[in-house]
Amino acid sequence: MASVDARGLTCPAPVLKAREVVEKEAPGSLEVIVDNAAAVENVSRFLGSRGYAVSDTAEGDLFRVLGTLEGEEPLSAVKPAAAKVIEGEAKVLVLIMSDRMGTGDDELGRKLMVSYVKTLNEMGPSLWQLIFVNGGVRLTCKDSPVLEEIKEYEKAGTIILSCGTCMEFLGLTADKGVGGLTNMLDIVLATENADKVVTFS
């Protein structure tokens, strides 16, 4: 079994270290030791994308993520995230970096962002991913004024992701109410694979 000690490393270093071992050694099993919940989810998703069956265990403040290869060798590239995109439709990624829109008046900015998120369904099947970073992750938490709308987007097939580092930094990981956690590597790859990226802050 190969092993990666990623304790003390921030996003996306645990995933990058795991990827390096997978690509160089193609181990049948790989254990990655991390010390935060965001890294557990990010590493688990990466290993799953490479054809590993994944489980994790907690030991105090540490987590052990174990990947066991299901095929003869790891997949050579990350599988595209499943989505509702219809053939011929553009894949639009919306990157939301704040819980308010624009500058000037915070209350107005929050109202504008709520209105914007509620209106995203007008994109139809083109709305491929919604990624929330920095203060934008608050919109995916349990007390979000648009939580139900985001849940509906997810049910319809839109990929919903929040920056794990942002959640940890703001102390909101336990309050996540919808979607998964992501890391900077995944965000970079998503922006590369999208046909169009819309950014709001």
Side-chain angles (χ1 to χ4, degrees), residues 35-97:
D35 56 11
N36 63 83
V40 172
E41 188 163 338
N42 286 325
V43 170
S44 296
R45 187 169 60 253
F46 166 74
L47 291 176
S49 76
R50 292 301 179 94
Y52 288 83
V54 183
S55 62
D56 64 82
T57 57
E59 299 176 2
D61 294 332
L62 298 180
F63 302 89
R64 296 180 184 273
V65 181
L66 176 63
T68 305
L69 194 60
E70 295 185 305
E72 294 183 2
E73 60 182 26
L75 300 178
S76 60
V78 177
K79 296 177 183 177
K84 65 180 181 185
V85 176
I86 298 173
E87 187 175 351
E89 292 281 353
K91 294 186 298 184
V92 178
L93 184 155
V94 179
L95 186 62
I96 296 179
M97 299 186 287

Side-chain angles (χ1 to χ4, degrees), residues 122-188:
E122 295 300 318
M123 288 189 184
S126 292
L127 184 56
W128 176 47
Q129 293 196 40
L130 271 173
I131 299 180
F132 300 84
V133 301
N134 209 325
V137 300
R138 294 187 179 95
L139 296 172
T140 65
C141 292
K142 295 173 183 177
D143 61 352
S144 166
V146 288
L147 182 63
E148 294 308 313
E149 284 78 8
I150 296 174
K151 285 182 177 180
E152 288 301 314
Y153 294 147
E154 186 174 49
K155 287 179 184 177
T158 298
I159 299 163
I160 309 296
L161 296 170
S162 295
C163 165
T165 298
C166 305
M167 283 289 209
E168 291 277 347
F169 183 86
L170 296 172
L172 296 173
T173 304
D175 295 327
K176 181 168 67 70
V178 62
L181 296 179
T182 190
N183 60 76
M184 200 55 67
L185 174 63
D186 286 348
I187 293 172
V188 169

